[in-house]
Amino acid sequence: MEQVDPEVMNFYRVFEFGGVFLMSILVSMVARRREFDIFGFFVIALVGSLGGGMMRDTLIMAGAVSAMKDPMYLILATVGALIAFFTHLRGRVWELFQVHADALLLGIWAVAGATKALQYGLPPFSAVLMGVLTATGGGVLVDVMTGVTPQVLVGKRLYAMPALLSAVIVVVLNELGQTIWGMLLAPIPATALALLSYWRHWKIPFHVEFAPVNQAANFLRNAAAPLENESRRIARELEPYAMRSLRHQALAKADRELGNDVDDANPVEEAKEAVKDTAEAVKAVVEHDVETAADALTADDEAEVNREGGDGRA
């Protein structure tokens, strides 16, 4: 990764601090809705504003996580929790501010996470993953702690997709040797996409019955059914009558063997005998001695019927 201008890094550092402060206030609204006490406000604020970066630093083994090395992160998150605890922020204006601020933070944190991963030598795909994790990890942890399905997984609004877009842009431009431009421009399309998804109610489409592999398999099976039926018809016409009769007799004999009572004296031996008789019949067919094979099967069947009649079984 090329050396990044210190002014750009300072610019992103200021935005990170501002993002931690703002996000701590935003996520603390969840604590108010859940009627948490002040300790709950602090926990939600710290996890929501710092969780993504802490997970990123842990995974890339960056030593002590940034939130622990620089006390300013913890201070800003704590102040944000106090503001949210003592001030009930609500109304349409606050909702619009929350949506726009969240969209901006998604792009900035995704770029910051991907850039830090590249600085530590991670490959492009891993860097993109770290960018998405940085932007969405805190929100996922808050949702899990409060018993809500994470917004990233539900898809009611594009949330992870804008972060993914920012991370991909900064990684691609870094590969092209334009890291600075990537850091400056990547948050813009992600923020725009997040806002458009809110105003136009965009979401990733999904239906519980969506299974294109199964649908393709069913289509191919239905398309091949006429061909299969026609091939069977042709095979029946080409098969000699004696061979077909022999095959039917062998199948009938096997059905009778399988239908015997489970208390037979030696079902294993009877099964072996049936297999042996069928094998001899098939061998006779191979040797073009169809009539002999048919006679052998018929004789065996008659003997078996007589034997079963003598044993008193139908």
Side-chain angles (χ1 to χ4, degrees), residues 114 130 135 152 200 242 305:
M130 290 299 101
V152 177
R200 296 186 174 275
V305 171

Side-chain angles (χ1 to χ4, degrees), residues 73-288:
Y73 288 100
L74 296 176
I75 293 173
L76 292 172
T78 302
V79 172
L82 289 173
I83 292 175
F85 182 78
F86 289 106
T87 308
H88 191 181
L89 300 170
R90 56 186 172 181
R92 180 61 176 171
V93 175
W94 167 251
E95 179 185 349
L96 293 177
F97 174 79
Q98 183 178 2
V99 169
H100 288 73
D102 193 24
L104 179 62
L105 290 177
L106 275 176
I108 291 176
W109 277 358
V111 172
T115 301
K116 188 166 186 178
L118 292 172
Q119 289 177 333
Y120 278 83
L122 268 66
F125 183 81
S126 300
V128 170
L129 178 62
M130 290 299 101
V132 176
L133 179 63
T134 304
T136 63
V140 171
L141 291 177
V142 170
D143 289 340
V144 172
M145 291 175 62
T146 55
V148 178
T149 302
Q151 185 176 347
V152 177
L153 306 180
V154 176
K156 293 182 178 179
R157 179 166 64 95
L158 296 183
Y159 193 73
M161 194 63 67
L164 177 64
L165 178 62
S166 281
V168 169
I169 291 175
V170 74
V171 169
V172 170
L173 289 180
N174 175 74
E175 293 295 314
L176 297 176
Q178 302 294 331
T179 304
I180 296 177
W181 282 108
M183 295 179 67
L184 294 176
L185 298 179
I188 298 175
T191 302
L193 178 60
L195 292 177
L196 283 173
S197 69
Y198 172 78
W199 289 107
R200 296 186 174 275
H201 306 287
W202 289 350
K203 61 181 181 179
I204 301 176
F206 175 75
H207 190 272
V208 67
E209 296 297 331
F210 177 73
V213 174
N214 300 67
Q215 294 169 358
N218 291 334
F219 174 79
L220 292 176
R221 183 170 61 251
N222 295 333
L227 179 61
E228 181 182 3
N229 294 333
E230 183 66 16
S231 63
R232 288 180 178 179
R233 185 188 65 78
I234 295 174
R236 284 194 297 268
E237 292 179 354
L238 294 177
E239 183 181 25
Y241 174 79
M243 173 70 78
R244 185 162 60 253
S245 177
L246 173 62
R247 178 166 57 82
H248 289 168
Q249 291 183 48
L251 290 175
K253 183 178 179 66
D255 287 339
R256 288 194 299 272
E257 290 295 336
L258 293 174
N260 285 341
D261 296 335
V262 295
D263 57 347
D264 288 339
N266 197 338
V268 176
E269 291 298 327
E270 291 189 7
K272 290 182 179 179
E273 190 67 25
V275 172
K276 180 180 178 182
D277 293 343
T278 303
E280 291 177 354
V282 172
K283 180 179 179 181
V285 172
V286 174
E287 295 174 353
H288 305 288

